[in-house]
Amino acid sequence: MHSMFAHVAIPRSAPAPLVYRIPEAFEDAVQVGIRVRVPLRRRQATGVVIEVSETSGIESTSIREILEVLDERPLLPDHILALARFISSYYRCPLGTALATMLPAGLLRADTEQAEPTPKGAGTDLEVLPEKQRAILAALLEHRKLPVAGVLARAGAGSRTPLDALIHAGLVSIRRSRRDRPPRSEVGAVALVPEPIDELLERCGRAPRQREVLNWLADHDGPALESEVCATLGCTLSVIRALETKALVHRFRQAAAKKPRWSLGGKDVRHELNSEQQAAVDAVQEALADGRYQPILLEGVTGSGKTEVYLRCLEGALAEGRQGIVLVPEIGLTPATVGAVERRFGSSVAVLHSAQAEGERWREWRTIRSGEARIVVGPRSALFAPLEKPGLIVVDEEQDAAYKQQETPRYNARDLALVLGRDLGIPVLLCSATPSTEAAFLEKRGLARRLQLTRRVGGGVLPKVQLVDLRHEPPEPGEQGRTLFSAPLKEAITETLEADRQVILLMQRRGWAPVLLCRDCGSTLECPDCSIALVVHRRRHSLECHYCGHKIGVPIKCPSCNGTLLDAVGAGTEKVAHHLGRLFPGVPSAILDRDTVRRRSGLEDTLGAFSDGRIRILVGTQMVAKGHHFPSVTLTGVISADALLGLPDFRAGERTFQLLTQVAGRSGRGAEPGRVIIQTYHPEHPAVLHAANHDVTAFTEEELRFRRAFGYPPVTRMALIGFESPSIDQVRRAAEAAGRSLRPTPEGVRVRGPAPSPMERLRDRWRWQILLTAAERPPLRQALARVESLSLPSDVHRLIDVDPLSTL
Ligand SMILES: [Zn+2]
Ligand SMILES: [Zn+2]
């Protein structure tokens, strides 16, 4: 008999696609890129067809059939499917997982399973059952109904086997619900029936809540969203439903309104291009016209007009009938960039980002898939937008760490943009004021073109940078010999305020102080679940772990020795703002950090108040270094350049250099020249020194020499194998077993470890790691494959991070 087979990738399940027979009725409907419903062991799952073939390649009697076809058209174009395959093999994750990352949430969501006891189960004598089964059934009898994962956890069952035995014996039944539906992008709305309000009220009778809704709708004069009515009046949907039953209102569904986007208002201004900008636009256009892959590193100081360059290039791509992708690190922190693209391209722009509600994201995604949107702006996952034929990919701030995803698949969107560009034969524009060493290395090997924008648009000059050697500054009283505000910094702030200008101060840590130290016994208060000190937050009167969120009140006595001499050592944003209030009384200042963002509209409010001058001094973490444009900031102060330098990570120098250069660029964006003051205990460190001189080239040269000398990326290829477990013994044993599997070491691979990770404990998990470096990919892959083939105890988690951004 003639049969067709489909290879189906299923998330969180098999590492390789599974083969299913296509029933004859579905033969026309099944095609590559659509979702199907398939049986999986004793359950069902939703996956994506990635290949259709006439042979199964396996023993045909064991092949099961596809149950249902869910899409009419492929969800993803071919080049995105190819990219999924690349992610799966390069970053070492199941293909289904890669696809789930690319599609809007929900389309591949796993079913939920609820377990409940059957009448037979309820009447069973628990004592006759084996221990695990007894625990499961007891938990179900107590709670009546529980999610499968929950009941297994409650009963301490490591596997599903005892539950399956109960199901088989007819003592427990499972109810499954599917959740693989696209999210709703419609919302409920309500309107009064067209009759005078007095009549409606009369027919309504004495129902106070319902009358309230009628009156509100009458005042509102037009239809309203049901959610809006409920939120404003504090009522539930049942009130509106009751009104519908009485035929006093009618309810309908409408497409969710487009939310206001990120543009900060203002008109689109087409700047004249200077010769450097024109050269960059020409280079991109040439590659586009030739249909050839061309990475272009567009290096420009802040304010040099990179945005205008890529807006023009996008226009070029559209003129060729192609589409464009603009990647930004974090959309909430780059509203200016997104605003510029939206102002230029209006309704043909789709914005994707993680803060969107699922329905909203789904709607944007469909406008892209249908071809209505031709420019996509968003963070790293926007690279997977299902555009038909992209002609240009722009990666703004390509050096930013946010392009790396810190969960499986651990991809870097900057690197994938190059892969996609190569597959499609199109230019890829990597923009940065401080190119990553990876990008600089590409150029050094002749694989990328480098174009520089050296002039500030509008003739502005780069700010003057002054280094303040904190070793020569008198210590601040009560600051353990440290200085927060050196004399030159205080003086500069005074002068800037007197000139009616604004100040940005960079302080990398949030909270009041990073450490609470006991002066009696010398111990610091650490998070019980992570090997890191708890941070003192004064406003919330708490000690908090910035890694896992553990939070306690500030103790009065030392938990180790009962001593009372507890000292908050070091400084964070709160303390800096506090001292500002003391040094410059009456001058309004504000903090911009994760705590600000966490508050509802905290980010917009703070930026707004700083933008219109209600706030004169803005203290913040690296968030203040991102692309905001504040023309009347003429002074940027770095409270301490040293916080990142001390990290035991090979990128510490690069991170410091980038941060200092970026924050320096915040100063003097208007007509007046700006100044920058960097306080440091290491004024001779290359990262600090070259940042002060705005010398990107000198820094990259020196950094690449360092990476070469010690065999670090990008000169070598690196992969990190991490092990995590609640058990300190298990994690060590697993890491050591992996270490043994790497002996003898594959040729060309250097193995560092196994050893405890620098952050040895995180979120109540012990961590070990092995670092692999090699000059070439193949031996590295071979080494990884050996470790992957090892089986692990169930409470040890293994992660593989190819091209890790951090080795902490
Ligand atoms: Zn103590
Ligand atoms: Zn913690």
Side-chain angles (χ1 to χ4, degrees):
M1 190 187 77
H2 163 83
S3 280
M4 294 289 281
F5 300 92
H7 301 249
V8 181
I10 301 166
R12 296 166 299 272
S13 161
L18 301 172
V19 179
Y20 291 90
R21 189 189 307 280
I22 304 174
E24 229 177 278
F26 292 164
E27 269 187 16
D28 293 333
V30 172
Q31 49 180 321
V32 170
I34 62 158
R35 289 174 307 146
V36 289
R37 189 79 178 160
V38 291
L40 182 71
R41 292 185 284 276
R42 277 178 232 202
R43 279 160 275 166
Q44 294 183 1
T46 303
V48 176
V49 176
I50 54 122
E51 196 187 324
V52 175
S53 64
E54 294 190 4
T55 53
S56 68
I58 49 175
E59 193 63 50
S60 67
T61 51
S62 62
I63 299 181
R64 301 166 80 181
E65 287 196 337
I66 286 176
L67 303 170
E68 196 183 331
V69 174
L70 302 181
D71 303 302
E72 281 173 28
R73 278 190 344 119
L75 291 167
L76 297 167
D78 288 346
H79 62 268
I80 295 294
L81 282 174
L83 195 61
R85 284 203 182 86
F86 178 89
I87 291 174
S88 163
S89 89
Y90 186 93
Y91 293 106
R92 314 204 69 95
C93 77
L95 185 54
T97 307
L99 287 164
T101 306
M102 298 174 141
L103 286 166
L107 295 189
L108 290 176
R109 193 174 281 152
D111 299 357
T112 49
E113 292 182 297
Q114 294 263 350
E116 45 187 334
T118 58
K120 184 178 166 199
T124 295
D125 178 9
L126 287 177
E127 297 309 312
V128 304
L129 294 171
E131 189 194 335
K132 289 272 162 65
Q133 292 186 32
R134 186 171 40 193
I136 290 173
L137 192 53
L140 287 177
L141 289 172
E142 186 190 339
H143 295 272
R144 218 168 51 83
K145 192 158 68 175
L146 283 171
V148 164
V151 70
L152 293 179
R154 247 171 240 267
S159 81
R160 237 183 116 97
T161 321
L163 177 64
D164 285 337
L166 288 168
I167 297 167
H168 191 71
L171 303 178
V172 169
S173 68
I174 294 282
R175 186 178 310 167
R176 297 195 169 85
S177 17
R178 276 174 71 169
R179 299 191 306 153
D180 57 355
R181 312 281 183 213
R184 278 227 182 109
S185 54
E186 287 187 323
V187 289
V190 57
L192 294 175
V193 296
E195 278 167 51
I197 179 69
D198 295 343
E199 281 174 32
L200 296 178
L201 284 170
E202 201 185 315
R203 271 163 48 203
C204 178
R206 288 188 48 221
R209 299 300 273 164
Q210 296 173 24
R211 296 179 72 94
E212 216 179 324
V213 171
L214 290 177
N215 278 317
W216 190 86
L217 283 170
D219 287 344
H220 188 75
D221 197 22
L225 297 183
E226 288 176 339
S227 58
E228 188 185 359
V229 176
C230 294
T232 321
L233 301 177
C235 66
T236 60
L237 211 52
S238 60
V239 180
I240 299 175
R241 271 197 224 109
L243 288 168
E244 187 188 29
T245 320
K246 295 183 185 172
L248 300 173
V249 299
H250 67 91
R251 300 171 63 203
F252 56 97
R253 302 201 67 79
Q254 65 172 43
K258 283 213 171 195
K259 283 259 174 60
R261 293 242 180 103
W262 296 87
S263 65
L264 298 176
K267 272 201 289 284
D268 179 33
V269 185
R270 287 180 76 84
H271 301 280
E272 249 343 270
L273 297 184
N274 64 32
S275 56
E276 290 176 338
Q277 288 174 307
Q278 190 61 54
V281 173
D282 291 346
V284 173
Q285 294 289 29
E286 242 170 67
L288 188 62
D290 296 354
R292 107 184 107 82
Y293 168 54
Q294 174 69 68
I296 295 169
L297 177 54
L298 185 62
E299 180 194 327
V301 294
T302 8
S304 60
K306 289 189 294 276
T307 310
E308 185 60 36
V309 168
Y310 67 69
L311 290 178
R312 295 291 178 103
C313 297
L314 288 168
E315 286 175 344
L318 292 191
E320 298 270 335
R322 313 285 289 255
Q323 304 97 35
I325 301 173
V326 180
L327 298 184
V328 293
E330 266 177 271
I331 212 145
L333 300 179
T334 47
T337 306
V338 183
V341 178
E342 289 209 303
R343 281 196 294 275
R344 179 72 48 95
F345 298 103
S347 62
S348 51
V349 178
V351 179
L352 295 173
H353 62 89
S354 54
Q356 278 165 334
E358 277 179 21
E360 216 179 325
R361 212 176 146 77
W362 172 236
R363 188 197 53 223
E364 293 289 279
W365 196 86
R366 280 186 310 173
T367 64
I368 301 166
R369 189 68 186 113
S370 70
E372 186 188 329
R374 293 183 299 156
I375 305 244
V376 178
V377 189
R380 55 177 183 259
S381 61
L383 186 68
F384 310 136
L387 292 167
E388 210 46 55
K389 213 178 166 202
L392 173 68
I393 308 170
V394 177
V395 186
D396 200 12
E397 306 289 342
E398 60 82 19
Q399 83 293 340
D400 202 291
Y403 285 123
K404 173 82 176 178
Q405 172 147 298
Q406 296 296 356
E407 58 193 62
T408 308
R410 295 170 179 265
Y411 68 90
N412 187 318
R414 187 258 329 270
D415 300 343
L416 284 182
L418 295 171
V419 173
L420 188 56
R422 192 189 55 199
D423 288 356
L424 293 167
I426 60 170
V428 179
L429 197 54
L430 304 176
C431 304
S432 180
T434 53
S436 60
T437 38
E438 281 80 5
F441 193 55
L442 270 187
E443 192 250 343
K444 235 183 158 41
R445 289 183 297 156
L447 300 175
R449 267 184 86 172
R450 179 181 189 172
L451 296 164
Q452 283 175 299
L453 304 178
T454 55
R455 282 170 278 171
R456 274 194 156 183
V457 167
V461 288
L462 282 174
K464 231 178 78 204
V465 183
Q466 180 186 356
L467 287 182
V468 174
D469 188 343
L470 287 177
R471 291 171 303 190
H472 305 139
E473 285 293 311
E476 207 104 17
E479 286 302 326
Q480 298 89 26
R482 297 256 155 178
T483 312
L484 277 180
F485 291 90
S486 65
L489 181 58
K490 276 188 283 203
E491 208 172 296
I493 295 175
T494 309
E495 285 168 15
T496 309
L497 294 174
E498 276 170 4
D500 208 20
R501 293 291 172 259
Q502 290 174 299
V503 180
I504 286 180
L505 295 176
L506 175 75
M507 176 71 232
Q508 273 133 281
R509 295 193 206 91
R510 64 191 165 91
W512 176 260
V515 175
L516 191 64
L517 174 75
C518 170
R519 291 281 171 202
D520 282 333
C521 70
S523 65
T524 58
L525 266 81
E526 289 210 346
C527 172
D529 295 334
C530 310
S531 42
I532 193 88
L534 291 168
V535 176
V536 186
H537 283 257
R538 193 148 109 162
R539 222 183 49 189
R540 293 199 288 265
H541 303 288
S542 59
L543 289 181
E544 297 178 18
C545 174
H546 284 185
Y547 284 86
C548 72
H550 179 81
K551 186 169 165 179
I552 55 172
V554 180
I556 302 163
K557 288 180 177 169
C558 168
S560 319
C561 74
N562 268 328
T564 51
L565 289 175
L566 295 175
D567 232 343
V569 178
T573 45
E574 279 186 1
K575 192 185 267 188
V576 171
H578 171 83
H579 282 287
L580 272 178
R582 186 176 55 79
L583 292 167
F584 305 96
V587 176
S589 65
I591 295 175
L592 182 67
D593 59 17
R594 291 259 160 239
D595 292 325
T596 317
V597 174
R598 215 183 292 156
R599 286 196 304 273
R600 216 179 139 81
S601 66
L603 180 69
E604 289 105 272
D605 290 352
T606 308
L607 290 178
F610 192 57
S611 181
D612 62 26
R614 275 175 289 149
I615 290 167
R616 305 289 305 284
I617 307 178
L618 189 62
V619 181
T621 54
Q622 44 208 3
M623 278 185 193
V624 299
K626 310 269 171 162
H628 314 292
H629 181 77
F630 300 115
S632 61
V633 172
T634 55
L635 172 67
T636 298
V638 177
I639 302 292
S640 167
D642 310 332
L644 287 174
L645 279 181
L647 293 178
D649 188 83
F650 70 92
R651 285 184 216 268
E654 183 181 354
R655 292 250 169 83
T656 303
F657 176 78
Q658 286 169 348
L659 181 60
L660 292 179
T661 311
Q662 274 172 18
V663 79
R666 296 304 114 209
S667 179
R669 305 281 309 249
E672 287 159 77
R675 58 195 287 207
V676 179
I677 292 186
I678 299 177
Q679 307 190 122
T680 175
Y681 285 93
H682 304 281
E684 72 298 330
H685 193 286
V688 177
L689 213 56
H690 293 312
N693 294 330
H694 305 287
D695 199 339
V696 177
T697 313
F699 175 76
T700 6
E701 289 287 329
E702 192 149 346
E703 187 65 17
L704 279 172
R705 266 201 298 281
F706 155 73
R707 304 278 177 96
R708 191 167 283 124
F710 290 92
Y712 282 124
V715 180
T716 58
R717 315 297 202 152
M718 181 183 272
L720 182 149
I721 309 165
F723 298 89
E724 297 184 2
S725 172
S727 153
I728 185 169
D729 293 323
Q730 295 279 28
V731 76
R732 180 179 47 80
R733 259 180 253 141
E736 284 172 353
R740 280 193 299 277
S741 80
L742 290 169
R743 284 197 292 263
T745 312
E747 203 178 318
V749 178
R750 175 169 174 192
V751 181
R752 293 174 170 96
S757 308
M759 278 284 291
E760 191 181 357
R761 233 171 138 233
L762 194 60
R763 297 182 191 93
D764 205 15
R765 294 279 187 281
W766 295 92
R767 304 164 81 230
W768 278 57
Q769 68 184 29
I770 298 174
L771 269 184
L772 305 177
T773 42
E776 305 290 335
R777 289 264 161 224
L780 199 64
R781 264 201 292 267
Q782 195 194 330
L784 287 175
R786 280 204 217 163
V787 174
E788 282 168 328
S789 66
L790 294 177
S791 56
L792 288 173
S794 62
D795 60 349
V796 177
H797 172 70
R798 170 180 55 212
L799 65 90
I800 288 180
D801 190 351
V802 177
D803 304 334
L805 221 46
S806 150
T807 56
L808 297 177

